[in-house]
Every structure is written in structure tokens, then in C-alpha cells.
Amino acid sequence: MNKIQILLTGGAGYIGSHTIIELINKGYDVISADNYSNSTPKTYERIQKITGQSVKHFGVDLCDLFLTKQLFEENPGIKGIIHFAALKSVPESVAQPLHYYFNNINSLLNILECVKVYSIPNFIFSSSCSVYGNVRLLPVNEDTPLGITESPYAYSKLIGEKIIQDFARINPATKAISLRYFNPVGAHISGFNGELPNLPPTNLVPVITQTAIGKRKEMSVFGNDMATRDGSCIRDYIHVSDIAEAHVNALKYLLEETQNSNYSLFNLGSGNGVTVLEAIRAFELISKQKLNYKIVPRRPGDVEAIYSDSRKANTLLHWKPKHDINSMMETAWNWEKNLALD
Ligand code: NAD
Ligand code: WQD
């Protein structure tokens, strides 16, 4: 039987590469397009080491419509697209808003133009919990009214969702899904794939592991005066392989299930709120070492607490996350230790 061919944009990145692994394991034929602005083609070697399969890949900037169309001309069998490609740093987006809007919106518009021209029936978009902004009622579900969007990055995701929704309305032959990820962390269970951005990371878990390995002298905990159980911020950390698996399920949902509408939206979180200090304690327990951290004032723009109600994805996508915070920390730590041996 012919395998179903899926194009992943941003497939060399953190979540894209873990999703490639899950798709290959489930028997899909995967191709990847990336401009390596926040990754390198070396990712495909790591995927091959884990899956035993090579990935057909293209170095393409999706902001270039001509090159993007060429990709579809050369690969006429694409049956679905998972669009991961985007710039994703919140502070960088505040410093360079035009760069973020240009990249994240143009790449999406170009891909959707190809969806239309080449009649691609299935489309999945990486959105973010950051579209909720500062919300009062927790947990947040897909019907929670959105607060104020805090950054150009978050706004680029909100605009992206709206563009896809409008596109789907007049293109009934394409079914589309937006997935709002909460805080993806951790690494592949093999220890051979994980987060490896081109710039120093600012997210909590890579900051923790880099501090523990000695790449950073100490780390900061941004605030302990929040209205939470220990004063530090609450987030919904979710293992990257669970996120990857949700994409496989979302694809299956598009391919097999009959939906009322050709556009849907799902939260992807664990449903558990974990404080920064609890996350650090979980890391200290699994790594059996004390982390050098200090409490500093709140980070501007941080919401105090947010976590997901993911029952819609649990029910309709038949998706249940498998990893808890200990497993997230353990796999992230194994990846950091393996990087040190590289
Ligand atoms: P990542 O930076 O590791 O991966 C994104 C990939 O897209 C990179 O390999 C980058 O080189 C590529 N890319 C960017 N612009 C491109 C362009 N114009 N043309 C071709 N390739 C391009 O990020 P990630 O963590 O894997 O995130 C994947 C997606 O999920 C992004 O859309 C991100 O906004 C979204 N997301 C991430 C998180 C998170 O915390 N990691 C949370 C919510 C949503
Ligand atoms: C988590 C918690 C920090 C670093 C961002 C985006 C969101 C999504 C996920 C893309 C916060 C605290 C962090 C540090 C700390 N990405 N922290 N010391 O801000 O929840 O979400 O990434 O879509 O859109 O906004 O993630 O990992 O930066 O922070 O104390 O050195 O850890 O204050 O409470 P965040 P994060």
C-alpha cells in the first residue's frame, strides 16, 4: 500500500523533528521544508539514528512564493501539511516586530496559496496558548474569551488562526486544524533528539538543564510574589513527544473522521498547572543535584498562571498525554548530557 505523504514545514526544528519521528513510526511518508533559521539539517541525521529512515528534505524559505511553489511542483503527492515553520521567541518578537510579522504571516500566506493551487486536502497549524493572553478563569478551554495578546509573536499566531479560518470557509475541499500548544518541553526518550535552537534559549526547561550542566553559572526564577501556591508562576508543561503524537492523531482525525465544519481548534496541554519552583524541584530530584538559582523580580509580560482544559483533544483526537513532569525533566536532562558528549 502507498504511504500517505505529509509535508512538515519547520521539520528540522524542535517540535517538527519529534513529529517526524512519530509520523515515520506510524507509517507515513514524510518530507520536510526548513530554512534553518533556528535549526540545522543535522536534525535529519538524529531522526535517522532514531527511526532508521532518512527524511527527504528541502532547504526552502517559505517567505519565497516561487521556491515554495517549486517544492509542490516537485512533490505532487502531498496529502497533508503540518505547518510548524515560524519564529517563536517572545522577547525577540517584541524587539523585532516587523521581522516576526513578515516571517510568520508571509510563510503562512504562501503555504496556503499552495494549498489552494495544489488542492491539498489537510492542513494543521501550530498555534500557541499565548493567544489567550492574561485570562482570569482557569483552566482555559477553546471557548475561553481571549485576553490581551501580549507580544507580536502571540499576535502573529492569532492572526494566523484567523487567516486559516477565513481560508477554510471559502475552500471546503481543505480541512484545517489549529493546535494551541501550552509549554512543550522535554526530549525524545532515546536521548538523541531534543531542543537545539541557534540562539541561547530563554525558556525555563533548557535554562534549567544548561545551568545544571554548567553552560550557565546560575539561573533566575522570575518572581515569587504571585498569587499562586508558592508565589512562582504556574504553567502547563507538556512533553514534546506527547505534542508530536497529538499531530498524528489530528491528521488521522482529518483523514478519517467526518466533521461538521472544515475548521477546528484544539488546546494541547496536560491539564496540570506546575509552578516554576515545583519544576525546579522535580529537576533536582531526577538529576540528584542542587540547582543554582536566585529569585529575581517578575519578568515583564509574564502571566501569573495558565493551564489547559484539553478535554476536547482528549475526546475528539483520542489523545492522552503519557509523560509527567518527572519524565519531562528526565528526558530533557538526558538530552543535555548527551549534547555535552557530542
Ligand atoms: P523551532 O524554532 O525549533 O522550529 C521552527 C522551525 O521553523 C525552525 O527549524 C526554523 O528554522 C523554521 N522556520 C522558521 N521560519 C521559516 C521560514 N520562513 N521558512 C522555512 N522554515 C522556517 O520551534 P518549535 O519549538 O519547534 O515550534 C514549532 C511551532 O510551534 C512554531 O510555529 C511555534 O511558534 C509553535 N509553538 C511552539 C511552542 C514552544 O514553546 N516551542 C509553543 C507553542 C507554539
Ligand atoms: C515558563 C515559566 C517564567 C525562564 C513561552 C511563550 C508561549 C509558548 C511557550 C510559543 C515562566 C519562568 C523562565 C527563566 C524563569 N511558546 N522562567 N526563569 O513564557 O510560559 O511561554 O513559551 O508559543 O507562547 O510565551 O515559557 O519557558 O519562558 O517560562 O523563572 O530563566 O518559567 O517566568 O513563569 P512561557 P517560559
Side-chain angles (χ1 to χ4, degrees):
M1 207 174 73
N2 275 349
K3 290 180 171 184
I4 300 171
Q5 190 173 66
I6 305 298
L7 167 68
L8 276 74
T9 72
Y14 175 46
I15 305 174
S17 59
H18 286 85
T19 306
I20 291 181
I21 293 167
E22 295 301 322
L23 286 169
I24 289 176
N25 287 342
K26 292 277 164 28
Y28 288 91
D29 174 17
V30 177
I31 61 178
S32 170
D34 204 300
N35 68 352
Y36 311 115
S37 54
N38 196 35
S39 58
T40 68
K42 219 172 170 243
T43 307
Y44 305 116
E45 292 169 26
R46 300 201 300 265
I47 295 173
Q48 183 156 13
K49 187 167 175 177
I50 293 168
T51 63
Q53 287 191 37
S54 61
V55 179
K56 191 173 175 188
H57 56 274
F58 298 84
V60 176
D61 185 347
L62 300 162
C63 293
D64 184 324
L65 181 58
F66 178 78
L67 292 181
T68 306
K69 279 190 167 168
Q70 211 170 41
L71 178 72
F72 285 84
E73 292 288 339
E74 286 170 23
N75 296 280
I78 296 169
K79 292 288 177 293
I81 297 171
I82 309 183
H83 182 54
F84 291 105
L87 296 171
K88 65 157 181 180
S89 159
V90 170
E92 195 178 59
S93 79
V94 174
Q96 302 178 53
L98 295 188
H99 182 45
Y100 266 66
Y101 286 124
F102 182 90
N103 188 73
N104 292 0
I105 304 301
N106 277 331
S107 54
L108 174 63
L109 290 174
N110 287 347
I111 275 288
L112 288 176
E113 177 66 18
C114 293
V115 168
K116 190 178 71 183
V117 172
Y118 298 95
S119 306
I120 309 295
N122 302 293
F123 187 82
I124 297 175
F125 176 62
S126 298
S127 189
S128 163
C129 67
S130 57
V131 302
Y132 288 109
N134 227 330
V135 285
R136 278 166 194 270
L137 218 58
L138 292 172
V140 291
N141 66 32
E142 295 80 357
D143 296 323
T144 300
L146 305 181
I148 291 169
T149 315
E150 296 280 352
S151 68
Y153 165 74
Y155 206 57
S156 79
K157 290 292 167 185
L158 190 58
I159 298 168
E161 287 186 5
K162 176 72 176 140
I163 291 171
I164 296 162
Q165 195 176 11
D166 288 345
F167 175 87
R169 191 168 34 80
I170 56 154
N171 289 282
T174 298
K175 292 188 275 181
I177 284 181
S178 292
L179 298 174
R180 290 178 177 165
Y181 319 150
F182 279 65
N183 288 52
V185 297
H188 192 262
I189 193 135
S190 64
F192 297 133
N193 191 39
E195 191 163 13
L196 193 55
N198 291 347
L199 289 173
T202 55
N203 293 114
L204 179 67
V205 174
V207 167
I208 288 177
T209 57
Q210 288 197 349
T211 307
I213 206 95
K215 285 182 186 165
R216 296 167 192 243
K217 275 207 182 90
E218 64 172 359
M219 63 166 288
S220 301
V221 169
F222 298 131
N224 66 351
D225 58 350
M226 252 68 71
T228 60
R229 48 187 175 266
D230 61 20
S232 65
C233 288
I234 289 180
R235 293 290 182 274
D236 186 335
Y237 300 98
I238 173 88
H239 195 280
V240 66
S241 294
D242 282 326
I243 290 274
E245 194 174 289
H247 288 76
V248 181
N249 292 16
L251 201 56
K252 200 162 182 287
Y253 177 77
L254 289 176
L255 290 165
E256 292 175 5
E257 311 226 359
T258 319
Q259 298 106 47
N260 296 331
S261 144
N262 68 331
Y263 177 72
S264 13
L265 179 67
F266 295 93
N267 279 351
L268 294 183
S270 71
N272 301 314
V274 171
T275 71
V276 174
L277 292 171
E278 286 166 351
I280 288 177
R281 220 163 298 129
F283 177 81
E284 288 180 332
L285 267 177
I286 70 101
S287 68
K288 300 186 181 58
Q289 71 180 83
K290 276 280 178 223
L291 204 62
N292 189 18
Y293 69 86
K294 62 174 184 212
I295 310 286
V296 301
R298 296 174 181 212
R299 186 170 66 175
D302 262 348
V303 301
E304 287 201 1
I306 186 162
Y307 57 96
S308 168
D309 173 345
S310 299
R311 280 177 298 175
K312 188 176 173 193
N314 300 154
T315 308
L316 294 179
L317 303 184
H318 311 291
W319 174 73
K320 273 263 180 307
K322 298 187 179 85
H323 298 264
D324 62 11
I325 188 73
N326 298 322
S327 163
M328 296 178 213
M329 291 300 177
E330 189 172 13
T331 53
W333 183 224
N334 286 341
W335 167 241
E336 188 71 64
K337 285 187 292 186
N338 280 347
L339 274 179
L341 302 173
D342 223 11

